[in-house]
Amino acid sequence: EDEQIVAEIMRRRFFPAAITHKPWEGFHFAGHEIRIAEAIDCYGAVVWPSALVLCYFLETNSKQYNLVDKNVIEIGAGTGLVSIVASLLGALVTATDLPELLGNLQHNVLRNTKTKCKHQPHVKELSWGVDLEKNFPRSSCHFDYIMAADVVYHHPFLDELLLTFDHLCKNDTVILWAMRFRLEKENQFVGRFQTLFNLEVLSDFPSLNITLYKAMRKSRMTT
């Protein structure tokens, strides 16, 4: 079953028939052909399999996880594929990433959503753990969903990532998080994550070493 579903997910990806001056990959999701410009010199400018897993889940579970008019933020949006699919499914999306990735992210989002979506998505800078209250004040920012695909990898900012999840998440916010397991340090992040959030496995793909999680904040006293 794992291999069958993975094969179906990977069939959503296609490549241009002819070489173009700017490299891109194509994807079929939410009834649309999506063209994503990539760059090979940056991890955040490449579409990783975890993003495809999350997009496939959003499309095939659109009744249970109805995104129409829902407020969604994607952290570590990279090329923007997940944000684009969520927008095509009717969500009001904020796609976020580091400042050096915003140009390509904005290009992809605009190219694939303009005149096609109920709500035009926004692109915004988010450096994990930096100026969170200033840029995303708790009093006015309420997200129904937080989405993340392959945000946990070998880097020194896992503390800041956990802080960002915690800041953006209200008691009724649902986190949809696709993670590819690689190194032990990154695997330990799941345990730390569970100190703040209840974690449920939605799908597991051993052939890709990817797990799709649903998470919600643990109940805690507020003052």
Side-chain angles (χ1 to χ4, degrees), residues 56-208:
Y56 180 81
F57 177 84
L58 295 176
E59 180 186 66
T60 55
N61 294 272
S62 59
K63 291 185 178 180
Q64 182 178 0
Y65 293 88
N66 186 350
L67 297 184
V68 176
D69 298 330
K70 295 297 192 299
N71 202 9
V72 172
I73 186 169
E74 184 186 6
I75 61 174
T79 62
L81 180 62
V82 172
S83 288
I84 291 164
V85 171
S87 298
L88 293 170
L89 291 171
L92 176 56
V93 176
T94 302
T96 71
D97 215 313
L98 296 170
E100 60 266 28
L101 295 171
L102 295 187
N104 190 58
L105 175 59
Q106 179 70 66
H107 168 77
N108 285 327
V109 167
L110 186 61
R111 175 184 190 179
N112 291 285
T113 62
K114 190 176 182 180
T115 73
K116 299 177 183 178
C117 298
K118 184 176 183 180
H119 306 287
Q120 185 61 39
H122 304 287
V123 172
K124 188 171 181 178
E125 176 184 341
L126 173 54
S127 298
W128 298 340
V130 178
D131 292 333
L132 293 175
E133 181 59 29
K134 175 183 176 181
N135 296 323
F136 300 90
R138 288 181 184 270
S139 60
S140 59
C141 288
H142 184 285
F143 298 106
D144 300 295
Y145 290 92
I146 299 171
M147 297 188 183
D150 222 5
V151 293
V152 180
Y153 47 85
H154 186 58
H155 59 62
F157 301 111
L158 295 181
D159 290 340
E160 290 81 0
L161 173 59
L162 187 59
L163 181 65
T164 300
F165 272 124
D166 184 48
H167 180 85
L168 297 174
C169 192
K170 296 289 198 297
N171 288 337
D172 58 347
T173 302
V174 174
I175 299 172
L176 296 176
W177 167 30
M179 175 176 174
R180 182 177 182 184
F181 287 83
R182 296 184 178 90
L183 303 174
E184 183 58 30
K185 178 183 177 182
E186 298 152 2
N187 299 348
Q188 292 173 356
F189 179 81
V190 175
R192 296 172 56 202
F193 185 87
Q194 288 179 287
T195 64
L196 297 177
F197 301 96
N198 293 310
L199 202 59
E200 173 188 348
V201 174
L202 294 177
S203 302
D204 191 36
F205 303 98
S207 62
L208 295 174

Side-chain angles (χ1 to χ4, degrees), residues 44-58:
V46 176
V47 177
W48 298 102
S50 293
L52 274 67
V53 166
L54 183 48
C55 289
Y56 180 81
F57 177 84
L58 295 176

Side-chain angles (χ1 to χ4, degrees), residues 12 27-34 59 85 88-89:
R12 302 304 184 92
F27 304 87
H28 292 290
F29 285 110
H32 291 269
E33 178 182 293
I34 301 168
E59 180 186 66
V85 171
L88 293 170
L89 291 171

